[in-house]
Amino acid sequence: MTETPEYDSTDVTPETTPDTVPEAAEISYDEERYPARPKRLRPSAHLRTSGITRSKLDPREPDGSNPAYVAWLVRQSMLGDADVLSRQHSGQPSMWRNPYARPDARRAIQSASVWFTAYPISLITRPGQSYLGALGDEDLWRAFERIGIDAVHTGPVKRAGGLTGWRQTASVDGHFDRISTQIDPAFGTEDEFRSLCDVADQYSGSVIDDIVPGHTGKGADFRLAEMAYKDFPGIYHMIEIPEADWPLLPDVPEGRDAVNLDATAEQSLADQGYIIGALQRVIFYAPGVKETNWSATAPVLGVDGRTRRWVYLHYFKQGQPSINWLDPTFAGMRLVIGDALHSLGDLGSSALRLDANGFLGVEKSAEGMPAWSEGHPLSEAANHLIASMVRKVGGFTFQELNLTVEDIRNTGRVGADLSYDFINRPAYQHALAMGDTEFLRLTLRTSLETDVQPVQLVHALQNHDELTYELVHWATLHCADEYTFRDQQMAGGDLAETIRADMIERLTGENAPYNRVFTTNGIACTTASVIAAAQGFNELDKIREDDVDMIARAHLLLARFNAWQPGVFALSAWDLVGALPLPSEQVSELIAEGDTRWIERAAHDLMGFDEEAVASASGMPRGRSLYGTLPEQLQRPDSFASQLKELLAIRDANDIAIGTQVDVPDVSHPGMLVMVHRLDGGKADWEDAPLQVTVLNFTDQPIEGSVRSSELIPRRAVIDAASGLEIGRVDDLQTFGVRLEPYAGLFLLMGPDEEALDNDEDASDDE
């Protein structure tokens, strides 16, 4: 048997630092008698800072027969780092100072209400400046402060991709295939991350990092798992296939480490009892590339001298093996919690995005049925653990859970504090494309009826992903339910298909070839290119300077929709500069296997740091931007950024972010949307809380109409928050009239009770 090194702390901690215990925070109590949450953990480095390098040349093979290689992998492993981090935090008083059992969306929003979502490989920096250095630049934060942005979501900045022998391989999914707790040197250093957090704090801002509870990349942890080293196989859903049954597995071509199973091989292995077979759906399905959620490894020499082949689960790409949250070693859970503690305690972030957190449980179903893999109770339990741990150390979490509204509700009751708004995001894009808000009103009402208030959601413009139009709520659990749409009854599945067809026709193909369909998930595009398609541009080169104003108007309309309702408002640099997609030929290698999302990730110079740059430091080509840099825009009152500043000031002044939505009424014009809110801070017992009404025009024409809601109080004044002027009064039918310019919006406040004011004046006169 091959001798292997012991797995202990000396393998992973060449240096240690004493734990710094934060000073005790002053204790107060809120309306629910929960202790106030003290400041986040004071960041303190607990791990090595060296990169993934070999200490010396080793002529032996990088496999399980080489103890030096195995020890090197252990030093790079996330599980090894997690054990170190857990020991550093265990037994410290900082672990007992915060309430953690229940999510608290409003508390999270009060610490970070308007988010800038960054993407590491696309930001153009000053020459020689790192991505994290650019995010921590004080000029940027001064601009954010002027606009009203109070948080930065960094995007994934830790090492990602895989290891082949001693060599690191590239990420297969935009750095969401994490392989290390270390910052990728391509994006900066841990010290620069901590400096970013310090600068954000100076401007009363927050930094949001990422963890990925659903999978890793094929880094040290996966390679050690393949070698059957200690607890590492327990991290993953991986099954050793005895050599006698290797004929059931496909051959792995030379130069590759695994191959995807086709449906026949998947069924054969399920029939033999090795795997649970087909899952509810195959995300990123592509014939000949990913036909199932299972892949088989090539033969791998283990540390015990045995050669094994494994079959492993991956919900996403083959390079993203799924984490097993219910293995007896709980190795996967330890790895994820350690990564979270590193971001919060070592780096200093205030919050974490949970990526792919809806796919943490998988279970065999009845014979002939796909395995239960979505909406599984284990996902809820695992999310409760992660989110509770983050709250316990003073942070908060948000989840990107593209499942049914019930799944978002159920997970949100115990797990993440906030959820990404997959419910309404495709619907507001559909409303713009069609000039009709009927489906958007349906999604908003569905959310309310399912007890998911908008205050629980992160309402976003563009991010690094496609415009998702899977409409999982209607396409799966509610596929047979009947809905009224376009004056007819329609099953949920047919409704989802109708909406997808509308969007594909209006936003892609001959009408807009610059936007591309992304597998079965959605459309690769930018917000500006969606608007361009909606406004009839079939070529981006046809957009002239005179056209930019109308595009910006529509862009601001979408910002108003997302910002003038309760919840977080998020936007990206692509939004701030009005970025357009890249021509496909500029990223032909990146999209060769069908990942068309790369066209929407053009490099951009947000601050005018390097006007001569033709690409980002990571090599992403620079794209066309319609609005200009932030410093340029903030000098012009009519620019996108300056007008965004005004609408965010209205949002902030009226605390709508922590309010309550009470009605999404019918409208008198199909292009109009009305949302009615109580500005109550979540206090349901505030009987006469101020009412606010958001009215939006999703068309390129001026419209006149009436607003009618059972929540409105007759004879109250209707006040435009932007001007402070009264524009009308609510009549006895609980109605008032409005006029809206193309793509315009109104933030309206209902005035005080005039009769009560008259009585107060009379009483004052009597005195």
Side-chain angles (χ1 to χ4, degrees):
M1 181 179 295
T2 304
E3 183 179 353
T4 59
E6 287 300 312
Y7 175 26
D8 58 30
S9 61
T10 59
D11 283 333
V12 292
T13 54
E15 55 180 304
T16 59
T17 57
D19 188 34
T20 302
V21 181
E23 296 177 2
E26 181 180 351
I27 300 298
S28 61
Y29 292 85
D30 63 16
E31 66 273 9
E32 294 180 353
R33 298 184 183 276
Y34 285 112
R37 182 170 297 160
K39 292 182 178 180
R40 59 177 167 80
L41 289 176
R42 181 176 299 162
S44 177
H46 300 309
L47 299 175
R48 66 191 183 282
T49 57
S50 60
I52 299 182
T53 57
R54 296 165 63 182
S55 58
K56 59 181 180 180
L57 293 177
D58 190 328
R60 293 171 294 179
E61 289 296 320
D63 59 25
S65 67
N66 183 349
Y69 178 64
V70 175
W72 179 80
L73 289 176
V74 171
R75 287 193 296 273
Q76 312 308 320
S77 69
M78 297 176 70
L79 182 58
D81 284 353
D83 282 357
V84 175
L85 286 157
S86 63
R87 288 193 292 272
Q88 294 285 352
H89 289 285
S90 181
Q92 298 302 317
S94 58
M95 298 299 296
W96 300 103
R97 291 176 177 160
N98 298 290
Y100 64 87
R102 294 182 177 88
D104 194 335
R106 287 182 172 87
R107 193 186 296 271
I109 290 169
Q110 287 173 314
S111 68
S113 171
V114 179
W115 300 357
F116 171 78
T117 57
Y119 193 61
I121 66 174
S122 296
L123 186 67
I124 293 175
T125 65
R126 289 191 170 97
Q129 185 182 41
S130 72
Y131 166 75
L132 289 173
L135 278 190
D137 192 287
E138 292 209 40
D139 288 341
L140 176 64
W141 277 93
R142 278 190 284 269
F144 284 166
E145 186 177 49
R146 288 182 64 186
I147 294 169
I149 295 168
D150 58 8
V152 164
H153 176 206
T154 63
V157 294
K158 295 182 179 179
R159 288 185 183 272
L163 289 174
T164 298
W166 304 99
R167 180 175 59 88
Q168 182 174 348
T169 56
S171 169
V172 299
D173 189 27
H175 271 71
F176 287 101
D177 45 345
R178 180 167 297 173
I179 61 170
S180 175
T181 56
Q182 297 178 58
I183 300 293
D184 191 319
F187 303 137
T189 66
E190 287 198 357
D191 285 342
E192 286 179 314
F193 197 111
R194 295 187 187 95
S195 177
L196 163 61
C197 294
D198 289 340
V199 172
D201 194 54
Q202 292 171 26
Y203 289 87
S204 301
S206 301
V207 175
I208 303 168
D209 195 10
D210 291 82
I211 61 169
V212 188
H215 54 254
T216 71
K218 288 186 175 179
D221 296 272
F222 186 74
R223 297 309 179 198
L224 288 164
E226 287 182 311
M227 296 176 188
Y229 182 76
K230 298 196 173 182
D231 289 352
F232 286 86
I235 297 173
Y236 302 102
H237 290 279
M238 56 192 306
I239 300 93
E240 180 185 349
I241 306 300
E243 189 170 359
D245 283 330
W246 285 6
L248 298 174
L249 305 178
D251 293 330
V252 178
E254 186 71 26
R256 295 182 58 185
D257 64 356
V259 67
N260 189 244
L261 302 183
D262 61 23
T264 301
E266 177 186 61
Q267 187 60 52
S268 297
L269 289 167
D271 291 342
Q272 293 294 320
Y274 290 122
I275 63 175
I276 57 178
L279 274 56
Q280 288 169 268
R281 58 178 170 145
V282 180
I283 300 173
F284 296 167
Y285 175 85
V289 177
K290 188 188 178 190
E291 299 183 4
T292 72
N293 295 298
W294 300 91
S295 286
T297 71
V300 180
L301 179 65
V303 294
D304 57 0
R306 284 182 51 204
T307 297
R308 296 173 174 83
R309 291 194 71 185
W310 307 83
V311 170
Y312 67 94
L313 176 69
H314 53 96
Y315 285 99
F316 298 97
K317 297 182 179 181
Q318 190 178 99
Q320 296 167 290
S322 294
I323 292 174
N324 184 355
W325 275 79
L326 210 56
D327 183 83
T329 65
F330 291 98
M333 181 188 300
R334 286 154 48 202
L335 180 151
V336 172
I337 296 298
D339 194 22
L341 288 173
H342 177 253
S343 288
L344 296 160
D346 273 34
L347 299 181
S349 60
S350 301
L352 297 174
R353 169 186 179 266
L354 308 182
D355 180 69
N357 69 315
F359 308 98
L360 307 185
V362 60
E363 181 177 338
K364 187 174 179 63
S365 295
E367 192 68 32
M369 297 292 291
W372 185 9
S373 56
E374 298 183 12
H376 195 283
L378 179 57
S379 289
E380 296 176 25
N383 278 281
H384 192 182
L385 284 169
I386 300 168
S388 293
M389 176 61 75
V390 172
R391 285 190 287 269
K392 202 172 185 187
V393 296
F396 69 86
T397 57
F398 81 100
Q399 61 183 3
E400 289 203 6
L401 191 66
N402 187 20
L403 297 177
T404 69
V405 184
E406 288 89 348
D407 289 323
I408 293 171
R409 177 197 64 199
N410 295 341
T411 306
R413 283 175 175 170
V414 296
D417 298 273
L418 297 159
S419 297
Y420 198 82
D421 188 359
F422 282 113
I423 308 166
N424 302 301
R425 186 166 182 254
Y428 78 70
Q429 303 274 18
H430 181 265
L432 183 75
M434 307 303 292
D436 189 326
T437 65
E438 183 179 8
F439 182 61
L440 178 55
R441 282 178 273 127
L442 187 153
T443 62
L444 286 164
R445 290 167 180 166
T446 298
S447 183
L448 290 179
E449 291 163 1
T450 317
D451 198 25
V452 175
Q453 271 283 330
V455 74
Q456 300 168 251
L457 303 176
V458 176
H459 311 289
L461 293 174
Q462 184 185 348
N463 66 14
H464 67 280
D465 272 330
E466 75 284 357
L467 164 53
T468 308
Y469 61 15
E470 293 163 291
L471 303 171
V472 176
H473 181 84
W474 293 272
T476 59
L477 182 63
H478 298 276
C479 63
D481 293 356
E482 292 290 316
Y483 297 88
T484 301
F485 186 68
R486 294 176 180 167
D487 297 323
Q488 60 180 306
Q489 291 298 109
M490 189 178 295
D494 294 333
L495 175 63
E497 185 57 40
T498 298
I499 300 301
R500 285 195 292 267
D502 286 345
M503 297 178 78
I504 290 172
E505 179 186 359
R506 293 295 179 94
L507 303 181
T508 68
E510 293 182 0
N511 291 328
Y514 43 82
N515 297 325
R516 300 279 298 273
V517 171
F518 171 62
T519 65
T520 58
N521 295 62
I523 298 171
C525 57
T526 68
T527 305
S529 73
V530 166
I531 296 167
Q535 293 182 357
F537 291 97
N538 58 10
E539 295 179 23
L540 294 178
D541 288 343
K542 291 182 178 180
I543 299 175
R544 303 303 179 200
E545 194 64 33
D546 292 344
D547 302 314
V548 173
D549 177 66
M550 192 60 78
I551 290 175
R553 284 192 192 187
H555 210 150
L556 289 163
L557 167 79
L558 301 183
R560 288 186 179 95
F561 167 75
N562 287 292
W564 286 358
Q565 62 175 306
V568 167
F569 169 51
L571 75 167
S572 66
W574 296 299
D575 290 303
L576 287 171
V577 301
L580 297 175
L582 292 165
S584 297
E585 57 269 20
Q586 288 192 257
V587 285
S588 57
E589 292 185 5
L590 293 172
I591 67 175
E593 294 186 359
D595 194 345
T596 55
R597 293 174 298 176
W598 290 104
I599 67 170
E600 69 189 48
R601 297 167 176 168
H604 44 266
D605 191 354
L606 184 62
M607 292 296 293
F609 283 157
D610 190 353
E611 295 180 359
E612 302 301 318
V614 296
S616 69
S618 296
M620 281 301 295
R622 184 173 190 150
R624 181 184 175 190
S625 298
L626 300 179
Y627 306 151
T629 67
L630 285 189
E632 293 169 349
Q633 291 190 61
L634 290 173
Q635 292 178 1
R636 295 184 286 109
D638 61 344
S639 70
F640 175 83
S642 292
Q643 293 181 78
L644 178 68
K645 169 186 171 182
E646 293 175 4
L647 74 87
L648 291 179
I650 292 172
R651 166 189 167 92
D652 182 59
N654 294 280
D655 277 339
I656 191 173
I658 54 172
T660 304
Q661 192 167 91
V662 293
D663 195 16
V664 182
D666 291 332
V667 291
S668 58
H669 187 287
M672 184 188 294
L673 178 73
V674 177
M675 300 181 288
V676 183
H677 307 108
R678 279 166 45 96
L679 303 179
D680 57 8
K683 300 178 179 65
D685 57 353
W686 186 355
E687 292 184 2
D688 195 28
L691 280 181
Q692 182 274 337
V693 180
T694 297
V695 188
L696 304 171
N697 176 8
F698 276 79
T699 76
D700 61 358
Q701 300 296 318
I703 60 176
E704 292 187 13
S706 58
V707 174
R708 183 175 185 177
S709 171
S710 60
E711 298 294 329
L712 298 178
I713 301 172
R715 304 177 189 176
R716 294 285 180 96
V718 181
I719 300 168
D720 181 356
S723 66
L725 300 176
E726 181 178 319
I727 67 166
R729 284 184 175 269
V730 181
D731 64 24
D732 288 346
L733 295 177
Q734 298 172 293
T735 303
F736 63 88
V738 293
R739 187 181 191 282
L740 293 161
E741 294 300 314
Y743 301 125
L746 293 169
F747 190 105
L748 303 175
L749 301 170
M750 299 301 104
D753 186 335
E754 295 296 330
E755 183 175 336
L757 288 177
D758 291 342
N759 291 337
D760 289 343
E761 290 175 2
D762 292 342
S764 178
D765 291 341
D766 291 342
E767 293 176 2

